[in-house]
């Protein structure tokens, strides 16, 4: 089975996708409260996370660790409207970046986004560590490529 990472086109394609996406969230009236300023490393970190999730190199885990992801979402109080907008802008960016358009791949990416955005939302609302989502490592997302 081909990994999502390979099917996407590897780091270069994912970096292009994340760059487009990050520009969109920084400009979006609903999401800019969650992304108040451009951070020089954000696109790289997004790329590392997506690459690892899709079966590519484990750079996110090695360089940052999953606790980093938990900590950046803590106390953001992500609303359902913001969560849905995040997914919508990502899928718009997916199309704009020229990612493969086959339905199985597209559906796997959407499922990954839906799951990940719900984890982030739960962690953003957690008042205590016990309220955090139990996920503590970058999930490996798989798919059926045929």
């Amino acid at each position: 089975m081909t990994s999502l990472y390979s099917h996407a086109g590897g780091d270069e394609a994912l970096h292009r996708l994340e760059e487009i996406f990050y520009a969109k969230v920084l400009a979006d009236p609903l999401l800019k409260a969650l992304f108040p300023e451009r951070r020089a490393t954000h696109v790289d970190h997004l790329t590392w996370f997506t690459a690892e999730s899709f079966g590519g190199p484990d750079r996110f885990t090695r360089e940052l660790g999953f606790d980093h992801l938990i900590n950046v979402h803590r106390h953001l109080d992500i609303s359902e409207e913001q969560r849905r907008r995040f997914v919508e802008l990502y899928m718009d960016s997916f199309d704009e970046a020229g990612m493969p358009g086959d339905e199985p791949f597209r559906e796997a990416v959407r499922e990954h986004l839906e799951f990940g955005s719900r984890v982030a939302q739960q962690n953003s609302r957690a008042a205590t560590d016990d309220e955090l989502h139990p996920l503590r490592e970058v999930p490996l997302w798989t798919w059926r490529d045929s």
Side-chain angles (χ1 to χ4, degrees):
M1 179 184 303
T2 305
S3 70
L4 290 166
Y5 174 79
S6 293
H7 193 75
D11 281 341
E12 184 179 323
L14 292 175
H15 192 273
R16 182 177 63 249
L17 166 62
E18 301 299 0
E19 186 69 55
I20 292 167
F21 171 67
Y22 192 49
K24 287 182 184 303
V25 298
L26 288 172
D28 188 80
L30 186 59
L31 294 179
K32 66 181 171 185
L34 302 176
F35 298 87
E37 64 184 7
R38 183 171 184 85
R39 294 192 179 142
T41 58
H42 207 137
V43 171
D44 288 339
H45 294 172
L46 288 168
T47 302
W48 298 350
F49 180 81
T50 304
E52 186 170 341
S53 293
F54 286 6
D58 66 348
R59 189 166 181 185
F60 187 89
T61 295
R62 287 185 290 108
E63 300 282 335
L64 297 171
F66 199 78
D67 284 344
H68 171 80
L69 197 57
I70 292 171
N71 291 332
V72 298
H73 291 109
R74 289 293 293 260
H75 311 295
L76 288 179
D77 195 24
I78 299 169
S79 70
E80 180 60 19
E81 185 180 19
Q82 288 170 318
R83 188 199 69 75
R84 285 192 317 267
R85 182 71 177 145
F86 180 95
V87 172
E88 177 186 336
L89 286 180
Y90 199 96
M91 293 309 294
D92 289 349
S93 301
F94 178 91
D95 294 333
E96 191 174 323
M99 301 301 285
D102 54 286
E103 198 53 40
F105 180 67
R106 188 176 179 77
E107 186 58 30
V109 171
R110 179 173 288 284
E111 288 171 359
H112 176 263
L113 287 168
E114 291 289 343
F115 175 78
S117 64
R118 290 183 197 289
V119 171
Q121 183 181 47
Q122 180 175 338
N123 291 343
S124 80
R125 295 174 172 184
T128 67
D129 287 352
D130 290 339
E131 294 175 358
L132 290 169
H133 191 280
L135 187 65
R136 292 294 182 273
E137 61 187 24
V138 175
L140 177 58
W141 211 256
T142 59
W143 69 312
R144 292 187 178 196
D145 60 350
S146 50

